[in-house]
Amino acid sequence: MKICFELNGKQVTLEIEQRETLAEVLRGRCRLTGVKISCEAQVCGSCTVLVNGLPVSACTLLGYEVRGKRVTTIEGLAREAGRLHPIQQAFLDNFSFQCGFCTPGMILTAKALLDENSAATDEEIIAHMSGNLCRCTGYLPILKAIRQAAAVLRGQK
Ligand code: FES
Ligand code: FES
């Protein structure tokens, strides 16, 4: 079937199988391998992308369900050539990843929160991020990065 949607700011039209998940479409057809696949059961958050600004698990959403919608992956986050989004920069500054497998999903989930509320408390950040699991870094550097990014984004308003 044919689907049209906005992907990282550009309109795309693709021919896909009805049974393909959004993660399969993005990785296999669009070559956006920042979308990670791990549990395939909406448990770990590795495959998180934004659909109309909200975080979703691309492993359990079917590709055709984003018809007419706006999809953002980690590849679409950097603002312009050579300039990272403040959340990406904060993850680098705070050593908030080791293997990096969870990182795209973490950053996109955090973006959804900070777009809505850049003054989120630690409790709100922790609750919002609870669907994203990290197996190696530990959560404190991730929390610190989100706090730092929130402060930068507040300063830009
Ligand atoms: S791979 Fe989608 S939630 Fe784990
Ligand atoms: S950095 Fe390895 S799973 Fe999070």
Side-chain angles (χ1 to χ4, degrees), residues 56-76:
V56 302
S57 297
C59 69
T60 50
L61 194 70
L62 288 168
Y64 72 78
E65 293 183 89
V66 301
R67 281 179 302 187
K69 297 186 178 166
R70 182 165 41 89
V71 177
T72 306
T73 70
I74 195 69
E75 290 87 349

Side-chain angles (χ1 to χ4, degrees), residues 20-96:
E20 280 180 87
T21 65
L22 180 60
E24 289 168 338
V25 169
L26 293 173
R27 286 180 59 87
R29 296 187 183 273
C30 305
R31 301 288 176 219
L32 296 174
T33 53
V35 183
K36 302 300 181 201
I37 299 178
S38 180
C39 70
E40 296 187 76
Q42 210 172 356
V43 172
C44 73
S46 303
C47 64
T48 303
V49 299
L50 302 181
V51 176
N52 289 353
L54 297 176
V56 302
S57 297
C59 69
T60 50
L61 194 70
L62 288 168
Y64 72 78
E65 293 183 89
V66 301
R67 281 179 302 187
K69 297 186 178 166
R70 182 165 41 89
V71 177
T72 306
T73 70
I74 195 69
E75 290 87 349
L77 214 57
R79 290 177 164 179
E80 55 225 30
R83 187 155 161 255
L84 295 175
H85 186 281
I87 304 174
Q88 293 173 304
Q89 188 61 53
F91 269 66
L92 279 175
D93 293 345
N94 291 278
F95 306 103
S96 306

